[in-house]
Amino acid sequence: MSDHEQWNEETLVENRMIEQLQTLGYTYIHGKDLQDERISQAEVILVNRLTKAIKRLNPWLDENNLNKVIRRITHIEATSVMEANQSFHDMLISKISITQDLGTGRKNHTVQLIDFDNIDNNDFIVTNQISYTHANVTNRPDLILYVNGLPLVVIECKSPRLQPEEQIGQGVTQLLRYQKENEPLFYYNQFLVATSNDRAKVGTIGAKVQHYSAWKEPYPLKVEEGDSAQDILTLGILEKERLFDLILNFIVYEPEDGRVIKKMARYQQYRAVNKAVERILTGEHPQARGGVVWATQGSGKSLAMVFLSMKLRRVEELENPVIVVVTDRQDLDQQITGTFKRCGFPNPRQAETVEELKTLLQQGPGSTVMTLVQ
């Protein structure tokens, strides 16, 4: 790569994203300054920052348990990157359980790694020029986003001067190479971005280039005149509130053909689900709380239902509602029930008869019922 191309990639793509992330409240720290915070280049977590964050979010935690929690995060036992990634995602969402006596005997308490409710109670960093060495191979991804010392997003920048079809392709090829050469970095990864400013796409670990997708609208935020594809994607998925919403409500792990695939919502699903939640919460009468989503075949309707259900379960005002999914075809009923089960959704029950439906609807909060319209 010529110096000019390198310069072009850095100024037009990397620096532009760093500047935008700073306006969104991220702190920029050059990789060499973070180097001092790591014992070695093999470390992918900024352990001091993580320790500080855990102490701040869980002030009751004693020293011994603090060390246990840090060890559990830094030494994830797993047979594959995907298994480790799912295990860590579970720690983020469901929190880590630890036994400690807080004055009323030894009991289980949950430890928060990220404060999803109070966004500013977390430490957000964007860094570049940071190297990671694993098994004698050193990688230097273009940008890394750290939250509380955890490397949650990896971003690869490419020159907009490359052939249009090569811009994202080359970025994804590089991201796949990093995943092969430095597995531990991707235990903590929520999603990956390949960008050339003119084009920008997001994908999850293991995804090939055809499964990366653009984020064409930063709902509910607005696009400004002159915003590039990269600016829109940054605003749509990396703005702090959007990032947390995606991690909490829009990522699932679904077994397919004997392996697990990590899936994240596309922007259409994200927008539809959030608009639906907003209506349910603010509609003044029953009609105003409903709506229709136009969707084409293969646009991910079943997953959108899973995302909507996950989010409704988390909205406190709704007090863990009963969710009923009604379909008009047997195979669709099976497919959607299967999707809910495979995505780890707790206990979806299929009602075969009207009587059974009545019984299931009386189970109270937190139940998910599948049924056919007929």
Side-chain angles (χ1 to χ4, degrees):
M1 181 186 292
S2 71
D3 286 350
H4 179 69
E5 265 181 293
Q6 177 82 41
W7 172 85
N8 167 2
E9 185 179 306
E10 264 183 34
T11 47
L12 291 178
V13 187
E14 202 173 296
N15 292 355
R16 180 175 180 136
M17 197 179 230
I18 290 171
E19 280 164 27
Q20 187 182 2
L21 286 166
Q22 285 176 293
T23 66
L24 296 176
Y26 286 74
T27 303
Y28 168 64
I29 302 179
H30 191 282
K32 70 173 188 310
D33 298 326
L34 282 180
Q35 205 51 57
D36 308 337
E37 297 195 21
R38 298 154 72 209
I39 298 165
S40 72
Q41 285 195 2
E43 272 193 356
V44 299
I45 288 178
L46 307 174
V47 179
N48 287 352
R49 279 176 194 269
L50 177 63
T51 309
K52 252 191 220 146
I54 290 175
K55 275 183 176 169
R56 191 178 68 251
L57 301 180
N58 313 275
W60 50 270
L61 203 57
D62 67 30
E63 200 62 28
N64 181 32
N65 275 337
L66 175 65
N67 294 332
K68 267 190 197 164
V69 169
I70 298 292
R71 187 164 176 84
R72 208 179 291 178
I73 298 163
T74 51
H75 295 76
I76 297 178
E77 298 291 320
T79 55
S80 69
V81 184
M82 189 61 83
E83 191 186 320
N85 190 280
Q86 186 170 2
S87 167
F88 172 72
H89 187 259
D90 197 48
M91 290 180 197
L92 269 191
I93 309 297
S94 309
K95 310 188 177 73
I96 291 177
S97 181
I98 211 93
T99 314
Q100 191 174 314
D101 185 348
L102 297 181
T104 55
R106 285 175 70 75
K107 289 190 180 135
N108 277 343
H109 304 277
T110 55
V111 178
Q112 237 183 341
L113 309 185
I114 286 179
D115 188 342
F116 285 106
D117 299 321
N118 308 302
I119 291 179
D120 296 328
N121 198 15
N122 300 284
D123 168 37
F124 290 83
I125 288 173
V126 51
T127 183
N128 60 349
Q129 305 291 325
I130 188 166
S131 302
Y132 303 98
T133 304
H134 179 71
N136 294 333
V137 179
T138 298
N139 297 128
R140 190 190 279 176
D142 290 325
L143 298 176
I144 303 277
L145 304 190
Y146 276 98
V147 178
N148 296 349
L150 298 160
L152 299 189
V153 182
V154 177
I155 299 162
E156 196 56 33
C157 302
K158 285 290 163 227
S159 167
R161 303 212 166 169
L162 287 168
Q163 290 296 327
E165 66 283 355
E166 283 179 13
Q167 293 170 13
I168 299 299
Q170 284 196 15
V172 175
T173 302
Q174 222 154 335
L175 290 167
L176 284 164
R177 180 166 62 81
Y178 299 151
Q179 290 170 65
K180 207 157 82 203
E181 293 174 351
N182 193 339
E183 293 190 347
L185 177 58
F186 296 91
Y187 289 179
Y188 311 96
N189 182 270
Q190 299 306 297
F191 50 80
L192 307 106
V193 172
T195 176
S196 66
N197 188 43
D198 299 350
R199 289 168 184 76
K201 289 191 172 183
V202 57
T204 49
I205 59 164
K208 306 261 193 305
V209 68
Q210 62 268 31
H211 295 122
Y212 273 66
S213 58
W215 203 269
K216 294 185 181 170
E217 182 196 355
Y219 178 84
L221 307 169
K222 294 282 174 272
V223 178
E224 301 289 321
E225 191 71 39
D227 277 353
S228 66
Q230 172 178 303
D231 300 335
I232 293 168
L233 175 129
T234 303
L235 198 55
I237 67 175
L238 300 177
E239 188 271 334
K240 296 175 181 181
E241 205 176 319
R242 278 350 99 213
L243 175 68
F244 280 5
D245 192 15
L246 285 163
I247 293 172
L248 267 178
N249 302 306
F250 292 92
I251 287 175
V252 291
Y253 295 81
E254 194 174 7
E256 267 181 30
D257 308 327
R259 63 196 185 110
V260 173
I261 302 202
K262 181 177 182 179
K263 296 180 176 179
M264 172 175 140
R266 295 198 286 268
Y267 82 96
Q268 303 94 317
Q269 292 166 318
Y270 182 78
R271 184 184 57 199
V273 166
N274 276 321
K275 281 192 169 178
V277 171
E278 193 185 336
R279 280 223 182 155
I280 290 166
L281 289 175
T282 59
E284 311 230 319
H285 50 84
Q287 275 69 33
R289 288 197 288 275
V292 176
V293 177
W294 286 99
T296 52
Q297 185 131 23
S299 63
K301 292 186 285 290
S302 306
L303 271 183
M305 289 187 210
V306 173
F307 296 140
L308 176 58
S309 304
M310 290 204 307
K311 186 143 186 177
L312 292 175
R313 286 257 179 276
R314 290 214 173 87
V315 176
E316 251 170 64
E317 300 96 293
L318 296 174
E319 298 173 353
N320 203 2
V322 174
I323 291 167
V324 184
V325 180
V326 183
T327 53
D328 59 357
R329 297 202 319 270
Q330 197 86 43
D331 58 340
L332 200 58
D333 186 40
Q334 296 294 357
Q335 179 204 328
I336 290 173
T337 305
T339 303
F340 270 73
K341 279 187 174 147
R342 286 194 302 277
C343 293
F345 204 81
N347 199 15
R349 303 280 301 276
Q350 266 170 303
E352 304 290 348
T353 63
V354 174
E355 286 314 309
E356 197 181 348
L357 179 59
K358 283 180 184 166
T359 314
L360 288 175
L361 289 178
Q362 284 158 3
Q363 284 183 329
S367 49
T368 308
V369 182
M370 311 292 187
T371 186
L372 287 161
V373 72
Q374 57 270 38

